[in-house]
Amino acid sequence: MYKLYVIIISSYAGAKFFLSFLQHIPACHRLSDRGDSWRLVRFMKWMHQEHYYVGRGMYERASDFMKYMVFWFVVLGGKFSFAYFLLIRPLVGPTRLIVNIPVTRYSWHDFVSKNNHNAMTIASLWTPVVAIYLLDIHIFYTVISAVWGFLLGARDRLGEIRSLDAVHQLFEKFPAAFMNNLHVPLLNRDSLHSSSQGLEKNKIDAARFAPFWNEIVKNLREEDYISTLEMELLQMPKNSGSLQLVQWPLFLLASKLFLAKDIAVENKDSQEELWDKISRDDYMKYAVEECFYSVKFILTAILDDEGNNEGKKWVERIYEDIQGSIANGCIHVDFRLNKLPLVIQKVTALLGILKKDQTPELETGAVKAILDLYDVMRHDILSINMRDNYETWNMLSKARTEGRLFQKLKWPQDAELKAQVGRLYSLLTIKDSAANVPKNLEARRRLEFFTNSLFMEMPEAKPVREMLSFCVFTPYYSEIVLYRMSDLLKKNEDGISTLFYLQKIYPDEWKNFLDRIGRDENASESELSDNPNHILELRFWASYRGQTLARTVRGMMYYRKALMLQAYLERMSAGDVEAGITGKESTDVQGFELSPEARAQADLKFTYVVTCQIYGKQREEQKPEAADIALLMQRNEALRVAFIDVVETLKDGKVHSEYFSKLVKADINGKDKEVYSIKLPGNPKLGEGKPENQNHAVVFTRGNAMQTIDMNQDNYFEEALKMRNLLEEFHCDHGLRPPTILGVREHVFTGSVSSLASFMSNQEASFVTLGQRVLSNPLKVRMHYGHPDVFDRVFHITRGGISKSSRIINISEDIFSGFNSTLRQGNVTHHEYIQVGKGRDVGLNQIAVFEGKVAGGNGEQVLSRDVYRLGQLFDFFRMMSFYFTTVGYYFCTMLTVLTVYAFLYGRVYLALSGVGESIQDIADVLGNTALSAALNAQFLFQIGVFTAVPMILGFILEQGFLRAVVSFVTMQFQLCTVFFTFSLGTRTHYFGRTILHGGARYQATGRGFVVQHIKFTENYRLYARSHFVKGMEICLLLIVYLAYGYNEGGALAYILLTVSSWFLAGSWLFAPYLFNPSGFEWQKTVEDFRDWTNWLLYRGGIGVKGGESWEAWWDEELSHIRTFSGRVMETILSLRFFIFQYGIVYKLDVQGTDTSLTVYGFSWIVLAVLIILFKVFTFSQKISVNFQLLLRFIQGVSFLFALAGIVVAVAITNLTIADIFACILAFLPTGWGILCIACAWKPVMKKVGLWKSIRSIARLYDAAMGILIFIPIALCSWFPFVSTFQTRLMYNQAFSRGLEISLILAGNNPNTGI
């Protein structure tokens, strides 16, 4: 019976395992779904019931499965090859040898290493190797995903237009590309194929493209990125006139006519060679052709059309002769081309008169100018035989002699004619090249990306009336809405105002702003105070350059503007029979924003809800933020604001609070008008604030789709034009299931000035482009990483919404939207033909707080049911993708740091125990070089190099190889490696602390401009526990290894072995001061030291915050240790500090060769004496107020006894000065270990009355650590050139743009002129 039982159980288990394996193969899963009608299939499914309701059916189609399976085969193949050949195999032989070596000589009293085959030695060698084995898969994933992402981006045509020169060269292809992708399909457009029809098609394309391009340029001017002159050069003619050619913007044709004129004047060759020289530059050819036909068009239009029509006949005769000469190939013979400058001069003079309003004087001048042109053409240019057209020329000569030639002019009144006159005049007068137009770097970047995206693959655009409707959704709490003048003029401690900073950082945009409002370019802001409208415009100008709600609202409202323009032009198209519009009028967009039909169509398809949680409270308290939000609603009629309204009523003598979720808009009088009000059952803020803010207002959103936008984001008009293409992605084939979240590319706009901002921008750009590209395809594990993504609104509001808001565990609320969507059979995609602006933190402290928040959020994700379900229900390869792109990334980051610790503690063990030297001696005897290599193994890679690979490949793809190399080398000179190494410590600390103790919390980073100096105290408070303590520990390990380790190669071997660890420690200790503005200025250093000592010694009290007192800060730093398990883990981790004392005391000269425990026990007696002496010298003066004299006597005697004891010990024993320093090395970590354990058991210490003593010792340690960090800073501050170098290092981008950073950092002096 037992055998039968085993057989049945084994059969059932085998069937379950086999079915489970099959269910993780997508093709088998789909096959089983199709075979539900078969009883056998239903029976097998019943046997293998899925245990989860949420998360069923998370499989992909076979082709997608094969793609990410191949990806992981490549990653795992590289990982295992590397691990076997470079990590494991070289150590196998030495390990076997070490196991068999009988080590009998130890430097200390050995407990565990005898008779166990040198297990501790094996562990010290293999622990870092095992750690590398666990994390190197992430390195291979990073490299291979970067290469894959690079190839995907190249396939998608990213980076094809990466310079202004490329925009110039490819501009003539833009209209056709625009019509193919962004314009709704036109009837009969594709049927035009012949050469004449091809010209007609090009002209139609240009005419349709022109209003969109001109509106883009106009918006760049309104945003002050370009000047008025640049706007005129960039704008494209309507191309709806009668000229039979495509007219291109002036910035392409500027100066081309003069170059063509010079070629013609100097030409000695045939007509064909002359035209070939001109045609080498397409835009030179276009400029010549346009000038040729435009002159004919203008002259024909203005010359008299009464009587004999001599004027028109003259024009026709000249042009017939020119065309005849061109046909015969002898224009260089029939016309004196060296006289062309005269013709250009006369035509320019005529156009200069015609472009003005008509007056009798100007009319007389115009007649004279045409007669001069006639004379030049007749006597200077023409060298043809006039006998062939004797009658015409004789008539013209007679009219000229009688003074009636050209006497009747038809002054340009028609809009098209006036536009042609002005355009031709510009063509003939702009002699400077416009190759650098626009000059502003941001304007260039935007135009480059937009034009590049025209050639990328995207769905066909639907007409506005047929497109999906959508809503934009922005959460807001109490951040800056609009800068007030008091904020802009307020000076920081260096005397720098925000407005002054902006004027110096964006000098060209400030100049364009003053020109736009009609002020002199040298006007100061004080001169604007006479005009309230100008003051308001100034506030908006400054706010649009910060991370404000006003900037976000302006950007998102471009969607409405784009939809109005598209709807207006669709209605005005020639095919709109109902409108009765002619072809010429179909591209006229003047006043499109006032069209009732266009506005109604846009409002049907787009809504914008900003959920300002406390707007009602701000309004009641008359906060300036409420007034600014109301102003935004007045300026943007489609803007809606949702908020929580708390109504308090008195009932039965008690105050009752009722909560309402309300939606308001601005009425015609500018007042708030309530649209909806929903009574809530209670206070809706139960969880994290931001997701709760979204949850209460999501009911007010409308449409098929919803784009979640954070309040530090921006949008651009040209990108808004592509929104209807993006929405069509919901109907495209992106896998087994339709998309539920459309990922959108981000551009980080805060990386333009400081080096730190640039590092953060490049790091973020690498992730939001190349990284997410791979997550979407082929890995199929892209989630929701931020706020430009577009959600299928109906899908998500019927599956729990877009935000999870449980306290602490959902602190990173955005990614849980992706988890939720994937678990419920959603599909998340990524699209890079459209981008949204994104602001990031720009100061080191802001960046550290942000990264700490994200790392803590990832630590909480480890504990969430969502991650558990995804890990359980993904197939193996998709699970690997998911792990290494979410929590696995932070785990590998932490493991990188732990590898350094394992390596160094292993080295210290070998050094202090004496085993390393013993084995090395034996190895020398045996001649085993492999063992020597194993004992002196260097890290096989530096983690930072590999993590930079995606950034480098992203640079190459979107900037080109040369610019990518320059950018990367520049970043290295700016110490980007120091920054990334420092960030490694930030992520490790907060992720590890969250794993141990939980309790991650949301931290506001602040989104202001960071140019002021950060005090030493603030940096110390922020980084003491996360970086400084760990950096000091690594330094201590390295010093101990230097003092007691054995290296056969001497100093060089030690340097090669430890250089990466020294770099890590140095980065953690000094990066906050390297990247601190004016961090090495002597006066600020002195002030920082005074401020730090005041903070350290101030004892604080009730209500005192950590920024004011060391004691308050210390209590805050210990607040995360709350649970018994956390206290136990802290205790276990702190035990590592005791190895130093145990090892070093046996290395002292005073103990000789004694390895008994007595030596170690005596060291504890010495430590106890030192602690007692410390307590004597730090005895509280408040307690000893009644016996001050006795206390001082005891302190003096104690000091003398201690000094005498040291002298006697040196004199009568083998104690040396080196031993004293060695004791410091031994006792410092022991004291820190005791301190850490005492802090972990704080309640116990308080009960036994030792807490005050513990706090005194902790203050001493912080004082010592602060002094050790401060000394190098003070030494560097003594030399002025160090401060200059640091300023250049931090603001290299600004210097390269010629900005006055030195003025910004100089202090009060620059503001004297403001």
Side-chain angles (χ1 to χ4, degrees):
M1 289 295 293
Y2 178 73
K3 288 184 178 180
L4 182 61
Y5 173 76
V6 171
I7 291 172
I8 293 173
I9 292 297
S10 300
S11 302
Y12 179 75
K16 289 277 288 183
F17 177 81
F18 180 69
L19 290 173
S20 177
F21 175 75
L22 289 181
Q23 286 294 314
H24 280 78
I25 299 176
C28 295
H29 212 305
R30 294 185 65 188
L31 190 62
S32 69
D33 288 345
R34 293 176 181 175
D36 277 343
S37 58
W38 299 349
R39 292 184 178 180
L40 178 61
V41 172
R42 289 205 301 270
F43 174 74
M44 302 285 275
K45 279 193 169 184
W46 174 80
M47 282 186 62
H48 181 70
Q49 291 185 24
E50 295 184 352
H51 300 291
Y52 302 97
Y53 176 74
V54 175
R56 288 188 175 189
M58 287 200 311
Y59 57 90
E60 298 294 332
R61 62 186 177 193
S63 58
D64 293 326
F65 176 77
M66 292 299 295
K67 282 196 291 186
Y68 61 71
M69 183 179 70
V70 169
F71 177 91
W72 276 106
F73 275 161
V74 175
V75 173
L76 293 173
K79 179 258 189 307
F80 289 129
S81 300
F82 170 82
Y84 177 72
F85 289 107
L86 295 177
L87 288 180
I88 298 172
R89 195 169 73 168
L91 272 182
V92 171
T95 300
R96 288 174 176 171
L97 189 61
I98 291 173
V99 168
N100 297 318
I101 289 178
V103 178
T104 58
R105 190 179 71 219
Y106 291 95
S107 299
W108 58 23
H109 183 83
D110 188 69
F111 284 105
V112 295
S113 297
K114 291 181 180 178
N115 303 319
N116 65 356
H117 303 287
N118 300 310
M120 291 294 292
T121 305
I122 300 297
S124 66
L125 289 177
W126 278 91
T127 301
V129 173
V130 171
I132 293 172
Y133 180 83
L134 292 175
L135 68 87
D136 65 351
I137 189 170
H138 182 260
I139 304 300
F140 281 95
Y141 165 79
T142 301
V143 174
I144 293 171
S145 67
V147 174
W148 197 300
F150 175 84
L151 296 175
L152 285 177
R155 184 203 66 180
D156 294 338
R157 307 186 69 174
L158 276 169
E160 288 190 356
I161 298 178
R162 59 172 73 107
S163 66
L164 201 58
D165 185 52
V167 174
H168 284 232
Q169 292 177 4
L170 298 172
F171 197 92
E172 61 182 309
K173 297 181 180 179
F174 295 164
F178 179 88
M179 293 299 293
N180 291 334
N181 280 333
L182 297 190
H183 202 281
V184 294
L186 293 180
L187 296 175
N188 302 324
R189 175 177 175 268
D190 294 330
S191 61
L192 303 174
H193 295 297
S194 66
S195 58
S196 60
Q197 289 178 327
L199 175 62
E200 182 183 350
K201 179 181 178 181
N202 292 339
K203 192 168 177 62
I204 291 173
D205 290 349
R208 298 287 180 183
F209 173 66
F212 292 98
W213 175 261
N214 291 340
E215 195 61 33
I216 292 170
V217 172
K218 179 183 173 185
N219 281 284
L220 287 174
R221 178 65 191 97
E222 291 176 355
E223 295 169 14
D224 298 316
Y225 288 120
I226 60 175
S227 64
T228 304
L229 174 60
E230 288 178 320
M231 178 180 72
E232 293 172 355
L233 292 174
L234 285 166
Q235 283 189 323
M236 189 169 182
K238 292 181 179 180
N239 279 293
S240 58
S242 53
L243 285 182
Q244 295 303 306
L245 50 82
V246 177
Q247 292 180 287
W248 301 105
L250 287 173
F251 81 104
L252 299 172
L253 310 181
S255 77
K256 299 295 185 183
L257 272 177
F258 294 95
L259 295 175
K261 180 243 326 180
D262 293 340
I263 292 173
V265 168
E266 297 171 2
N267 180 62
K268 305 294 183 183
D269 302 317
S270 65
Q271 174 185 305
E272 289 77 10
E273 292 174 335
L274 170 62
W275 186 242
D276 181 62
K277 290 179 182 179
I278 293 175
S279 299
R280 289 173 188 171
D281 184 340
D282 287 337
Y283 295 112
M284 188 186 297
K285 181 180 72 172
Y286 298 151
V288 171
E289 291 176 345
E290 181 175 345
C291 183
F292 179 74
Y293 291 111
S294 295
V295 169
K296 179 181 179 181
F297 174 76
I298 293 169
L299 290 177
T300 303
I302 65 172
L303 292 177
D304 60 291
D305 54 356
E306 299 176 5
N308 295 321
N309 296 328
E310 292 100 339
K312 289 187 179 180
K313 289 182 179 180
W314 170 65
V315 174
E316 291 170 358
R317 179 74 268 137
I318 290 291
Y319 273 80
E320 286 178 8
D321 289 342
I322 293 174
Q323 289 167 342
S325 296
I326 292 174
N328 297 326
C330 56
I331 192 169
H332 59 297
V333 177
D334 295 342
F335 293 84
R336 301 184 187 95
L337 298 182
N338 61 333
K339 299 296 183 180
L340 271 180
L342 274 176
V343 177
I344 293 176
Q345 179 184 349
K346 299 305 178 184
V347 172
T348 304
L350 172 62
L351 294 173
I353 296 171
L354 292 177
K355 67 194 290 285
K356 300 176 183 178
D357 294 333
Q358 183 179 9
T359 63
E361 294 80 7
L362 288 178
E363 194 167 354
T364 303
V367 171
K368 184 177 181 305
I370 297 180
L371 289 173
D372 290 345
L373 177 62
Y374 170 84
D375 293 338
V376 167
M377 291 297 299
R378 175 72 184 270
H379 303 296
D380 296 325
I381 297 294
L382 293 176
S383 60
I384 60 175
N385 188 355
M386 296 185 182
R387 294 177 181 176
D388 295 339
N389 299 285
Y390 176 77
E391 293 182 1
T392 302
W393 287 113
N394 185 51
M395 177 189 68
L396 292 172
S397 297
K398 184 178 180 182
R400 176 76 174 93
T401 305
E402 295 174 358
R404 56 184 174 80
L405 185 63
F406 309 144
Q407 293 305 304
K408 295 180 180 180
L409 294 182
K410 186 178 180 182
W411 202 264
Q413 301 294 338
D414 177 65
E416 180 190 351
L417 182 58
K418 291 177 73 173
Q420 291 292 355
V421 169
R423 176 176 169 81
L424 184 57
Y425 180 78
S426 297
L427 265 178
L428 294 172
T429 54
I430 299 177
K431 297 183 179 181
D432 297 327
S433 172
N436 292 323
V437 173
K439 296 178 181 178
N440 185 275
L441 297 180
E442 175 65 7
R444 288 186 182 186
R445 183 199 65 77
R446 284 172 53 177
L447 291 179
E448 288 165 11
F449 182 83
F450 171 71
T451 53
N452 188 95
S453 68
L454 295 178
F455 300 96
M456 297 173 69
E457 184 178 347
M458 63 182 77
E460 185 179 274
K462 291 286 183 69
V464 173
R465 62 180 178 273
E466 298 177 18
M467 67 176 281
L468 294 176
S469 56
F470 71 103
C471 173
V472 175
F473 194 42
T474 298
Y476 165 85
Y477 187 67
S478 60
E479 297 87 348
I480 296 173
V481 179
L482 189 67
Y483 284 117
R484 298 186 295 276
M485 283 305 297
S486 58
D487 298 330
L488 294 175
L489 299 177
K490 183 180 178 181
K491 298 176 182 178
N492 63 12
E493 61 181 16
D494 297 324
I496 302 299
S497 67
T498 300
L499 184 58
F500 178 77
Y501 168 80
L502 292 173
Q503 289 170 346
K504 298 306 176 186
I505 294 297
Y506 306 109
D508 55 334
E509 295 170 29
W510 173 249
K511 180 179 176 182
N512 294 337
F513 165 71
L514 292 175
D515 177 57
R516 178 166 59 84
I517 63 173
R519 295 280 185 162
D520 183 76
E521 66 179 51
N522 297 317
S524 65
E525 68 276 4
S526 59
E527 298 176 26
L528 306 183
S529 58
D530 58 348
N531 190 323
N533 290 331
H534 289 177
I535 290 292
L536 183 60
E537 286 298 315
L538 174 59
R539 291 177 61 198
F540 274 103
W541 180 86
S543 301
Y544 290 156
R545 276 139 192 86
Q547 298 182 51
T548 61
L549 183 62
R551 180 176 190 162
T552 305
V553 169
R554 178 196 66 173
M556 297 309 123
M557 293 309 295
Y558 279 141
Y559 283 130
R560 183 171 185 263
K561 189 173 185 179
L563 290 175
M564 285 194 293
L565 177 60
Q566 290 166 331
Y568 184 82
L569 287 175
E570 285 168 14
R571 181 178 174 274
M572 297 287 286
S573 64
D576 194 340
V577 181
E578 295 181 9
I581 304 298
T582 63
K584 285 188 177 182
E585 294 173 331
S586 65
T587 57
D588 186 4
V589 297
Q590 187 172 3
F592 77 91
E593 292 180 87
L594 302 177
S595 167
E597 294 84 358
R599 291 158 68 94
Q601 196 73 258
D603 289 337
L604 282 173
K605 298 298 180 180
F606 168 76
T607 54
Y608 185 23
V609 176
V610 179
T611 169
C612 307
Q613 193 173 34
I614 58 172
Y615 173 63
K617 182 180 178 183
Q618 290 173 331
R619 190 172 56 182
E620 288 178 6
E621 297 174 355
Q622 297 184 343
K623 291 284 185 70
E625 289 84 359
D628 293 337
I629 291 172
L631 177 62
L632 291 181
M633 285 195 285
Q634 294 165 24
R635 291 170 66 103
N636 302 279
E637 61 178 317
L639 177 63
R640 304 290 183 266
V641 171
F643 64 96
I644 300 294
D645 193 24
V646 183
V647 179
E648 294 183 345
T649 57
L650 194 62
K651 191 174 183 181
D652 299 331
K654 295 182 180 180
V655 177
H656 290 268
S657 297
E658 293 182 327
Y659 297 87
F660 296 86
S661 185
K662 293 188 176 183
L663 184 74
V664 296
K665 65 177 183 179
D667 62 14
I668 57 175
N669 299 317
K671 304 294 183 180
D672 289 355
K673 180 180 179 181
E674 189 174 293
V675 182
Y676 296 110
S677 178
I678 302 172
K679 186 174 181 180
L680 304 174
N683 189 348
K685 190 178 178 183
L686 301 176
E688 292 292 337
K690 185 176 178 182
E692 291 288 22
N693 194 5
Q694 292 177 319
N695 286 338
H696 93 88
V698 72
V699 67
F700 298 128
T701 59
R702 293 292 180 268
N704 304 92
M706 174 168 54
Q707 186 176 31
T708 50
I709 293 291
D710 207 354
M711 70 127 298
N712 63 333
Q713 297 199 241
D714 195 6
N715 197 20
Y716 317 111
F717 177 79
E718 64 273 16
E719 300 306 312
L721 294 171
K722 298 177 243 180
M723 190 62 184
R724 54 182 180 176
N725 299 79
L726 179 67
L727 293 173
E728 287 304 307
E729 296 283 2
F730 282 118
H731 300 145
C732 294
D733 180 16
H734 289 287
L736 195 59
R737 304 170 191 85
T740 52
I741 299 179
L742 304 177
V744 177
R745 175 190 175 108
E746 287 179 306
H747 164 71
V748 181
F749 56 72
T750 49
S752 60
V753 179
S754 76
S755 301
L756 281 178
S758 172
F759 300 157
M760 192 68 179
S761 171
N762 292 332
Q763 184 184 39
E764 187 75 9
S766 171
F767 172 69
V768 300
T769 55
L770 188 145
Q772 296 194 26
R773 193 181 307 148
V774 177
L775 294 183
S776 175
N777 178 28
L779 300 184
K780 304 296 285 185
V781 291
R782 188 191 186 276
M783 300 299 167
H784 172 52
Y785 306 96
H787 294 272
D789 293 358
V790 181
F791 288 74
D792 182 332
R793 178 175 167 274
V794 177
F795 178 92
H796 284 89
I797 63 173
T798 56
R799 289 165 177 81
I802 63 169
S803 297
K804 285 196 173 185
S805 57
S806 298
R807 284 196 181 276
I808 301 177
I809 201 164
N810 292 133
I811 187 173
S812 297
E813 87 291 338
D814 46 9
I815 198 170
F816 282 93
S817 302
F819 294 166
N820 191 48
S821 186
T822 304
L823 281 167
R824 286 156 177 80
Q825 300 188 19
N827 186 10
V828 187
T829 61
H830 184 66
H831 310 278
E832 295 194 80
Y833 52 79
I834 184 171
Q835 68 177 357
V836 175
K838 176 76 171 179
R840 273 296 178 212
D841 310 288
V842 296
L844 186 65
N845 291 6
Q846 291 181 344
I847 293 170
V849 171
F850 169 76
E851 290 193 330
K853 179 185 71 174
V854 174
N858 269 269
E860 293 294 344
Q861 289 172 34
V862 176
L863 310 175
S864 69
R865 72 181 72 179
D866 304 77
V867 169
Y868 173 76
R869 285 170 175 168
L870 288 167
Q872 286 280 307
L873 301 174
F874 274 145
D875 61 71
F876 175 76
F877 299 108
R878 205 167 168 209
M879 180 271 292
M880 293 282 283
S881 304
F882 172 68
Y883 171 74
F884 282 104
T885 54
T886 51
V887 295
Y889 168 74
Y890 285 89
F891 180 77
C892 290
T893 300
M894 183 174 68
L895 206 56
T896 304
V897 176
L898 293 181
T899 304
V900 177
Y901 276 84
F903 172 75
L904 291 178
Y905 271 101
R907 291 286 159 175
V908 167
Y909 165 76
L910 294 176
L912 294 180
S913 67
V915 176
E917 186 175 353
S918 300
I919 294 179
Q920 186 71 58
D921 292 339
I922 297 172
D924 292 338
V925 173
L926 298 177
N928 192 323
T929 55
L931 178 56
S932 301
L935 291 174
N936 294 287
Q938 166 63 310
F939 282 122
L940 296 171
F941 52 81
Q942 180 68 295
I943 188 84
V945 174
F946 289 94
T947 53
V949 170
M951 192 186 303
I952 297 169
L953 291 178
F955 283 162
I956 294 173
L957 178 65
E958 301 197 25
Q959 298 181 11
F961 181 77
L962 185 60
R963 287 173 63 185
V965 171
V966 171
S967 297
F968 184 71
V969 172
T970 303
M971 285 178 61
Q972 296 306 314
F973 280 118
Q974 292 174 320
L975 305 183
C976 74
T977 311
V978 174
F979 168 75
F980 291 130
T981 305
F982 186 82
S983 297
L984 185 78
T986 305
R987 292 191 290 267
T988 298
H989 172 76
Y990 287 101
F991 181 74
R993 194 173 78 173
T994 305
I995 292 294
L996 283 176
H997 305 288
R1001 63 182 184 272
Y1002 180 84
Q1003 292 178 311
T1005 58
R1007 291 167 175 156
F1009 305 104
V1010 179
V1011 286
Q1012 73 271 20
H1013 174 76
I1014 306 298
K1015 292 183 178 296
F1016 181 90
T1017 305
E1018 186 175 342
N1019 280 331
Y1020 188 86
R1021 286 190 293 106
L1022 190 56
Y1023 304 118
R1025 295 298 175 262
S1026 60
H1027 294 80
F1028 296 163
V1029 168
K1030 296 177 177 63
M1032 287 291 184
E1033 182 181 354
I1034 291 175
C1035 287
L1036 186 65
L1037 287 164
L1038 292 167
I1039 292 170
V1040 170
Y1041 180 55
L1042 174 64
Y1044 301 110
Y1046 180 83
N1047 272 303
E1048 188 182 26
L1052 180 61
Y1054 174 81
I1055 292 172
L1056 293 175
L1057 191 66
T1058 61
V1059 61
S1060 58
S1061 301
W1062 277 112
F1063 180 78
L1064 179 71
S1067 299
W1068 285 1
L1069 290 173
F1070 297 106
Y1073 306 102
L1074 276 174
F1075 296 112
N1076 185 15
S1078 303
F1080 296 104
E1081 190 176 310
W1082 177 252
Q1083 186 58 40
K1084 292 187 184 297
T1085 303
V1086 173
E1087 293 173 1
D1088 282 358
F1089 185 75
R1090 187 183 302 116
D1091 176 75
W1092 180 69
T1093 52
N1094 291 336
W1095 171 80
L1096 187 69
L1097 299 176
Y1098 179 50
R1099 297 187 178 277
I1102 298 174
V1104 175
K1105 296 182 179 179
E1108 303 169 3
S1109 163
W1110 174 88
E1111 289 187 6
W1113 165 78
W1114 195 55
D1115 287 335
E1116 291 173 3
E1117 285 296 313
L1118 301 178
S1119 62
H1120 63 279
I1121 307 175
R1122 298 184 302 271
T1123 63
F1124 178 78
S1125 60
R1127 300 184 201 281
V1128 173
M1129 288 302 300
E1130 286 288 338
T1131 304
I1132 294 172
L1133 291 174
S1134 300
L1135 294 178
R1136 70 186 187 274
F1137 294 108
F1138 295 100
I1139 190 177
F1140 294 93
Q1141 181 182 341
Y1142 185 73
I1144 291 174
V1145 294
Y1146 288 103
K1147 294 284 187 179
L1148 299 179
D1149 294 331
V1150 69
Q1151 62 87 32
T1153 59
D1154 185 7
T1155 59
S1156 67
L1157 277 176
T1158 308
V1159 176
Y1160 184 57
F1162 184 76
S1163 69
W1164 277 98
I1165 295 174
V1166 175
L1167 180 60
V1169 171
L1170 291 175
I1171 293 173
I1172 292 170
L1173 286 173
F1174 172 76
K1175 281 303 299 176
V1176 169
F1177 286 107
T1178 59
F1179 198 74
S1180 175
Q1181 293 183 358
K1182 292 181 180 179
I1183 299 175
S1184 62
V1185 69
N1186 295 323
F1187 45 96
Q1188 282 286 331
L1189 185 60
L1190 177 61
L1191 175 64
R1192 292 183 181 181
F1193 174 75
I1194 294 172
Q1195 289 175 341
V1197 171
S1198 300
F1199 176 75
L1200 291 175
F1201 269 111
L1203 189 61
I1206 294 174
V1207 172
V1208 169
V1210 171
I1212 67 175
T1213 67
N1214 293 327
L1215 185 69
T1216 62
I1217 300 299
D1219 283 352
I1220 296 175
F1221 285 102
C1223 289
I1224 295 174
L1225 277 182
F1227 293 144
L1228 278 177
T1230 301
W1232 183 256
I1234 295 171
L1235 186 62
C1236 290
I1237 294 172
C1239 291
W1241 299 97
K1242 178 179 176 181
V1244 177
M1245 293 296 107
K1246 283 190 172 183
K1247 286 182 179 179
V1248 298
L1250 294 177
W1251 186 244
K1252 289 186 178 179
S1253 299
I1254 296 296
R1255 189 166 56 195
S1256 299
I1257 296 173
R1259 192 195 304 270
L1260 179 66
Y1261 269 93
D1262 275 316
M1265 186 162 59
I1267 290 294
L1268 288 174
I1269 295 171
F1270 201 90
I1271 288 173
I1273 297 172
L1275 290 175
C1276 292
S1277 301
W1278 188 260
F1279 302 100
F1281 70 87
V1282 176
S1283 181
T1284 304
F1285 169 77
Q1286 187 220 17
T1287 301
R1288 181 63 189 242
L1289 180 110
M1290 286 194 64
Y1291 295 99
N1292 182 70
Q1293 283 88 347
F1295 278 110
S1296 66
R1297 291 167 56 196
L1299 304 185
E1300 302 174 66
I1301 293 297
S1302 57
L1303 292 180
I1304 294 176
L1305 299 175
N1308 290 303
N1309 295 334
N1311 291 290
T1312 54
I1314 295 182

